[in-house]
Amino acid sequence: MTRIVAFTGAGISAESGIPTFRGKGGLWEKFKPEELATPEAFMRNPELVWRWYDERRQMIKKAKPNEGHLILAKIEEEADYFVLITQNVDGLHFEAGNRNVLELHGNIWRVRCLSCGQRYYLYETPLKEIPPRCQFCGGLLRPDVVWFGEMLDPDILDRAFRESELADVFIVVGTSAVVYPAAYLPVVAKEHGAFLIEVNPEETPISEIADVVIREKAGTGMKRVYEILRERGDI
Ligand code: NAD
Ligand code: ZN
């Protein structure tokens, strides 16, 4: 049985029209994400942070999965074992058809109440009320995503590390691989013997340890990955 693990970042959604943080044409020129996507920024000005999220949610609502997402869904269908670990919060992997997905950084459609702790999906966008209020207790809601300086969910992170250790093939797509601890996953996979493939138009710290580097955008790059998996007999 071949265990295939894919690890994606913002770059896989770029061709769906969702800008990355660090690449060219990054999100919100006026503000750095580090100044908005933090607990401190939220406590200082929940309305500003929610306006930013409301805009991102509207943009994501219009976006469709691209070729890169669709090939990952096809790989899940054809593989003996496949898991997708994503740093993205846009939910496009689910929309493309992937089911075994670990969302390291949460999901932009989910909210969490700061008073009663309830988590639920809130798809309304544009939001009628900003900041939105909890449907159970009226408390202040926040996006259920992991912000800069926050811990990742330890259960999800553990599973991601375990999957990476066990991977036979590890595919990294569209991540700058500078956000830790997620950026360790490809390194751990490689150290445990995985065949490491990177798809990214630009060089990253992963490039030098990868077995195959595909300097392409996710759409074309994933087509090549699919062929490689076929040639190797992994799918
Ligand atoms: P990043 O912005 O740090 O890096 C994006 C990477 O994608 C770069 O290495 C860039 O070269 C590459 N890239 C650009 N266009 C590409 C394309 N068409 N195909 C393939 N690769 C392409 O993103 P990151 O590493 O994911 O880290 C940023 C954090 O911000 C993430 O943790 C994520 O939670 C969040 N984020 C999420 C989204 C989303 O959900 N779509 C969008 C922006 C940021
Ligand atoms: Zn509540």
Side-chain angles (χ1 to χ4, degrees), residues 160-208:
F161 272 100
R162 215 167 41 239
E163 294 288 1
S164 303
E165 286 171 11
L166 295 173
D168 298 304
V169 179
F170 194 96
I171 309 159
V172 190
V173 194
T175 175
S176 56
V178 294
V179 181
Y180 288 89
Y184 284 127
L185 296 172
V187 178
V188 164
K190 177 72 188 171
E191 279 172 355
H192 286 76
F195 184 74
L196 185 60
I197 307 176
E198 176 180 59
V199 178
N200 198 312
E202 288 171 38
E203 193 173 339
T204 78
I206 299 306
S207 306
E208 61 187 57

Side-chain angles (χ1 to χ4, degrees), residues 113 116 134 137:
C113 176
C116 73
C134 175
C137 78

Side-chain angles (χ1 to χ4, degrees), residues 9-11 13-15 18-22 56 87-90 105 174-176 179 200-202 217-218:
S13 294
E15 287 160 272
I18 304 170
T20 63
F21 280 174
R22 288 177 190 77
R56 291 185 65 203
Q87 301 169 87
N88 293 349
V89 297
D90 58 33
H105 294 163
T175 175
S176 56
V179 181
N200 198 312
E202 288 171 38
K217 292 183 176 179

Side-chain angles (χ1 to χ4, degrees), residues 24 41 90 105 124 150 201 220 223:
K24 292 161 199 138
D90 58 33
H105 294 163
E124 179 189 64
E150 291 188 313
T220 15
K223 275 190 207 137

Side-chain angles (χ1 to χ4, degrees), residues 71-107:
I71 295 171
L72 285 168
K74 196 165 136 93
I75 294 173
E76 176 166 339
E77 235 175 75
E78 295 177 17
D80 299 331
Y81 185 85
F82 178 84
V83 60
L84 178 52
I85 305 168
T86 188
Q87 301 169 87
N88 293 349
V89 297
D90 58 33
L92 286 180
H93 287 303
F94 288 106
E95 216 178 306
N98 282 110
R99 287 297 166 261
N100 201 13
V101 181
L102 297 176
E103 289 182 317
L104 292 180
H105 294 163
N107 188 297

